[in-house]
């Protein structure tokens, strides 16, 4: 059993342009030896399925490029036809826009914007952000996720480096500051990476993930909750993502840290750290994210094989590649390498029991989440 996955974005890809292209992509992936796809369902603050949550909240049912279609339903149908699992990828997470000053979401709900210590809308690497510490914003995201798992035959859902996340520069909005003041009798520090302030906000996002996990499992306990965060502890310092705590509290079933390094020795070094620390006793939950293509960069066939072989040497049963189009470059060169080598023999996708995802109570975390929600309602 191995996780052999690939992300399907809209940026830089033609897959979603028609049902025929989707069908062709699913055939190709199955023939290459893959067993799971991660199609994007939430990107650029728009859905790739008709969403009543978006319609009711923002008046936009689906990405205008796909009006009259349901790309998610098409991917599921074509993936099922060839035996692939489908995990819905909420790529945009708590981002609001990219270089659009908040875009449509904050134009309609400006109170949802994340604020830095100077009161400005949080912008990091070009992305503007929703305030993911706000229970109203959290409920919106939770409702998008639940809409998908209730209405579509997916095998699970996935967050990434934007879900759950918030740039550590955020959290200085009026209501979050009030909550902090109530608990600590002082203002938040001006240093956004102050250790205690950092951890306090990260804990709020961890509690949100616990709540989301519980709600998804209530719909169907067999659904997989998958996360693809940045690498710890950079992810904690920069985006309040405390993945070791997610694993400790068992509120994620499988995790795909984005080890997007462009040479094998750098990749190997990070794998060694992860296996030694975070995943010392739970390597079954780990299937690293590997950068296959980005801009003009493409992974070499040698590095590709080295990474997979080293994963197996370290007891890691799988990987997920970013992204699909990298398999198709140069007359499908990398796909042929996989098909003729590491993926020559078929492998089934791990079940929840294989991932050691024992059902544990998250009642304490859920209670914390509800206490936070109650406080926000009282002061807002």
């Amino acid at each position: 059993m191995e996780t052999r996955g690939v992300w399907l974005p809209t940026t830089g890809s033609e897959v979603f342009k028609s049902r025929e292209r989707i069908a062709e992509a699913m055939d190709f992936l199955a023939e290459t030896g893959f067993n799971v796809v991660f199609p994007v369902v939430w990107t650029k603050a728009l859905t790739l399925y008709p969403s009543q949550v978006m319609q009711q909240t923002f008046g936009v049912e689906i990405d205008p490029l796909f009006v009259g279609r349901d790309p998610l339903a098409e991917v599921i149908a074509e993936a099922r036809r060839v035996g692939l699992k489908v995990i819905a990828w909420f790529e945009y997470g708590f981002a609001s826009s990219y270089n659009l000053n908040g875009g449509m979401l904050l134009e309609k709900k400006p109170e949802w914007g994340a604020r830095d210590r100077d009161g400005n809308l949080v912008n990091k690497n070009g992305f503007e952000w929703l305030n993911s510490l706000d229970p109203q914003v959290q409920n919106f995201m939770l409702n998008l996720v639940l809409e998908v798992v209730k209405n579509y035959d997916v095998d699970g859902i996935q967050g990434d480096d934007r879900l759950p996340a918030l740039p550590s520069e955020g959290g200085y909005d009026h209501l979050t500051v009030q909550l902090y003041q109530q608990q600590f009798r002082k203002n938040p520090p001006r240093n956004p990476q102050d250790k205690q302030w950092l951890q306090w906000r990260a804990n709020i996002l961890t509690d949100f993930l616990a709540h989301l996990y519980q709600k998804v499992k209530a719909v169907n306990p067999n659904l997989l909750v998958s996360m693809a965060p940045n690498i710890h502890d950079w992810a904690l310092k920069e985006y309040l993502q405390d993945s070791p705590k997610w694993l400790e509290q068992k509120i994620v079933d499988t995790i795909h840290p984005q080890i997007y390094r462009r040479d094998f020795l750098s990749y190997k070094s990070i794998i060694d750290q992860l296996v030694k620390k975070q995943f010392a006793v739970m390597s079954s939950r780990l299937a690293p994210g590997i950068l296959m293509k980005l801009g003009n960069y493409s992974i070499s066939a040698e590095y590709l094989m080295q990474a997979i072989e080293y994963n197996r040497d370290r007891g890691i049963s799988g990987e997920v590649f970013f992204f699909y189009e990298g398999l198709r470059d140069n007359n499908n060169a990398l796909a042929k390498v996989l098909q003729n080598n590491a993926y020559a023999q078929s492998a089934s996708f791990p079940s929840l029991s294989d991932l050691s995802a024992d059902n544990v109570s998250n009642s304490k975390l859920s209670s914390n989440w509800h206490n936070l929600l109650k406080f926000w309602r009282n002061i807002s």
Side-chain angles (χ1 to χ4, degrees), residues 292-312:
M292 179 171 276
K293 176 183 173 68
L294 186 65
N296 294 324
Y297 168 79
S298 290
I299 195 171
S300 68
E302 179 185 21
Y303 174 12
L304 174 66
M305 291 307 302
Q306 285 178 313
I308 296 174
E309 289 169 7
Y310 196 68
N311 285 350
R312 301 302 179 271

Side-chain angles (χ1 to χ4, degrees), residues 237-368:
K237 293 176 179 177
E238 297 295 332
Y239 286 95
L240 308 178
Q241 293 194 302
D242 194 352
S243 55
K245 188 164 285 188
W246 303 348
L247 288 161
E248 176 189 330
Q249 296 179 354
K250 296 177 181 170
I251 53 175
V252 58
D253 296 318
T254 184
I255 196 163
H256 313 289
Q258 297 179 21
I259 312 180
Y260 289 175
R261 298 299 182 267
R262 302 191 181 197
D263 66 278
F264 173 66
L265 289 179
S266 298
Y267 178 86
K268 175 181 179 293
S269 175
I270 294 170
I271 287 291
D272 288 341
Q273 293 173 38
L274 291 176
V275 171
K276 182 179 179 181
K277 297 178 181 178
Q278 269 185 273
F279 297 91
V281 294
M282 48 183 68
S283 61
S284 62
R285 295 178 185 265
L286 173 63
I290 297 176
L291 182 63
M292 179 171 276
K293 176 183 173 68
L294 186 65
N296 294 324
Y297 168 79
S298 290
I299 195 171
S300 68
E302 179 185 21
Y303 174 12
L304 174 66
M305 291 307 302
Q306 285 178 313
I308 296 174
E309 289 169 7
Y310 196 68
N311 285 350
R312 301 302 179 271
D313 286 345
R314 296 309 307 264
I316 299 168
S317 299
E319 47 280 322
V320 182
F321 295 105
F322 186 85
F323 60 103
Y324 172 80
E325 299 297 334
L327 295 164
R328 307 307 303 257
D329 286 350
N330 302 314
N331 193 30
N332 308 330
L334 294 178
K336 291 173 182 175
V337 170
L338 291 173
Q339 187 177 21
N340 295 326
N341 294 280
Y343 290 2
Q345 301 298 318
S346 63
S348 58
F349 184 73
S351 67
L352 277 174
S353 58
D354 298 319
L355 297 167
S356 303
D358 45 325
N359 292 322
V360 296
S361 171
N362 294 305
S363 57
K364 179 177 180 290
L365 291 161
S366 184
S367 174
N368 289 343

